Amino acid sequence: MAVTLTATACTSSGTTDDTPARATRTASPTPTAQAALTKKEALAQIAHYSKINNQASVHNNRTLLDTIEDGPLYAMSVADYKEEEGLPKVDREKYKPWSYDLASTDVYIPRFTAGQQKWFAAVTYSGKNDKDARVLIMTEQAKTQRWEMVAAVDLDNKTQIPKIALDANGYATAVDATSTKNVAATVDALRDAVLDNFATGGDLTGKQVFTTTKTSTRQIKVHDDTIHKFGSRGTTQFSAATPKFTDSYALKTTDGHALVVFAHTHTQADAVAPGLEIVPDKDDRAWLGTSHSPYFTYTFNCSDVATVPTTPGKSKLIGYTCRRTDAEGLSTSSAA
């Protein structure tokens, strides 16, 4: 933002000219927002991501993966690697190369001024009649200037994808979703509501912030089903955790709302009655080994997508994806 400054005119007492001298300061030019990249370049970055992801995932190459992923997506991918490596070889599935269908991909590219982090969003489609949709976020890393994928979230219903507002040149408008000046529910409020869906089944902020959707119902079902899994023999409790990833990405929609992508972190604590122990299942063993314990805590990192009104009203949660990224037993947590 540029501020124009005009200095007050003054007259020099030593001049013999009848015309008073005026000192002026030239106004600073308004920074020009430039598109992060072109549509062709954005699609090329998505194609590059798929290619390198395949190369990395064949051998669970974390170093190579780190050149194309960052943020919550990298944490989830590394967790997938670790979980697979904890399985007996006979239970590991052979890796199948994949790629995004660029012909069925819509890209939404905002404009940015110098110094702002550059990013863009995309929606990819797959399956019969493109019935499955996924929201992607790629960001440019300031130091390396590499484009890396930070979020890839499957949507529960592609019909809920809002129409993104585009300017005359086809570029989108980024929205600061951390401020109530721009959205009815900030990213922090959205995150709290998602965490409440897991922690209480949405009884508190979950129902205050979100209207009922398939996605919010799915999160609540995780709570309802999981807290009763031990019956009278134990308990399960979900809790909010300090978010590991706090960046958010939002785009203006044609109906005046915003499409917001953000991340959250939550824990699940399982405990059983005295005299009983929990046996880790095969997917837990990468973290927990085979040791039994009366208490386990799991940490999940997740990405979420919501549509948020700019005026008072409820938001819609339209997609989320989670991965267990850590777990510990009683002996480990007691020593911490």
Side-chain angles (χ1 to χ4, degrees), residues 22 49 55 121 258 260 272 280 287 298:
R22 295 181 63 85
Y49 167 78
Q55 293 175 2
V260 184
V272 291
W287 290 274
Y298 308 90

Side-chain angles (χ1 to χ4, degrees), residues 25 28 66 78 86-87 102 131 148 169 175 179 221 242 246 288 293 305 331:
R25 185 175 298 170
S28 300
D66 192 33
V78 169
L87 296 173
L102 299 184
K131 68 180 182 65
E148 299 185 11
N169 295 310
V175 176
S179 172
K221 188 175 187 299
T242 301
T246 57
L288 303 174
S293 173
V305 181
S331 57

Side-chain angles (χ1 to χ4, degrees), residues 20-44:
R22 295 181 63 85
T24 61
R25 185 175 298 170
T26 304
S28 300
T30 301
T32 302
Q34 301 289 337
L37 69 183
T38 66
K39 178 180 178 180
K40 182 178 180 180
E41 290 169 338
L43 290 173

Side-chain angles (χ1 to χ4, degrees), residues 37 50-51 85 108 112 124 194 198 223 243 245 249 275 299 324:
L37 69 183
S50 301
K51 176 183 176 181
E85 290 164 352
Y108 302 105
F112 300 99
T124 67
V194 165
F198 286 101
H223 166 271
F245 307 102
Y249 310 89
T299 299
R324 172 182 41 214

